[in-house]
Amino acid sequence: MKLATLAAASLLAATLTTAADAAPQNFPGAPGALTLSGKCAKLVVGKVDATKGCEGELASVTLVNGQVTFIFTSAGKMLGFQGDGTAIKPASNGNARMPLNLVVTGVGQKMTGQVKVAGTCTMGNPYGGKPVAIECTAESKDTAFAGSFRTNGKAPKQK
């Protein structure tokens, strides 16, 4: 389960800065890596449904330039939904919406591919003490991508 965190940290170590000492109360928050525990409800790439092997941990990596990536893992593979964290806007039901511009893929601890996409991630604030959903959908010119994760209500862990 810690695969996504380790991969994100090793991949992005050069561009991450140390997060503030206290956990941020906004989400996705300051530059750094977070992990959220819960249940992966959906992970689909084109016609391939990887939901069955999808792990119960979601990584959120924020770079110093404001780019945010939500990384889902399934059977040793990673799928990351990346977008502009500075363009997050309020959405319905207290959620927020972030526009996506890339889907990144990887195996083991290395991110190796990227596809330009259009899409969004809709997310609740996991610091509220109750389970929230993080749902991402994106399309490239050839493929549709979808990931959905429901937290267990516990605050994210700073990595």
Side-chain angles (χ1 to χ4, degrees):
M1 287 211 216
K2 298 191 185 288
L3 175 63
T5 304
L6 294 172
S10 65
L11 169 71
L12 303 168
T15 55
L16 294 177
T17 62
T18 304
D21 291 333
Q25 295 304 301
N26 61 341
F27 182 74
L34 303 171
T35 57
L36 299 107
S37 295
K39 180 170 176 29
C40 179
K42 181 179 186 180
L43 187 59
V44 178
V45 176
K47 295 181 180 182
V48 178
D49 187 341
T51 305
K52 185 176 181 181
C54 190
E55 295 183 11
E57 187 172 80
L58 178 72
S60 170
V61 179
T62 302
L63 300 179
V64 294
N65 67 1
Q67 289 292 304
V68 174
T69 306
F70 292 110
I71 302 172
F72 293 79
T73 56
S74 180
K77 297 179 183 174
M78 297 178 288
L79 184 69
F81 293 87
Q82 183 174 320
D84 184 356
T86 65
I88 293 175
K89 303 278 189 234
S92 61
N93 300 326
N95 290 325
R97 183 170 287 131
M98 179 180 73
L100 297 173
N101 52 19
L102 284 177
V103 166
V104 293
T105 58
V107 177
Q109 296 185 12
K110 294 187 179 194
M111 297 304 256
T112 55
Q114 43 180 261
V115 179
K116 290 184 179 185
V117 297
T120 60
C121 283
T122 302
M123 66 207 88
N125 183 352
Y127 291 101
K130 61 182 181 178
V132 296
I134 298 166
E135 298 176 338
C136 300
T137 57
E139 290 187 15
S140 70
K141 61 182 178 178
D142 300 325
T143 308
F145 303 88
S148 179
F149 189 88
R150 185 152 185 88
T151 69
N152 61 6
K154 295 181 181 176
K157 294 178 185 172
Q158 191 81 36
K159 295 294 176 177

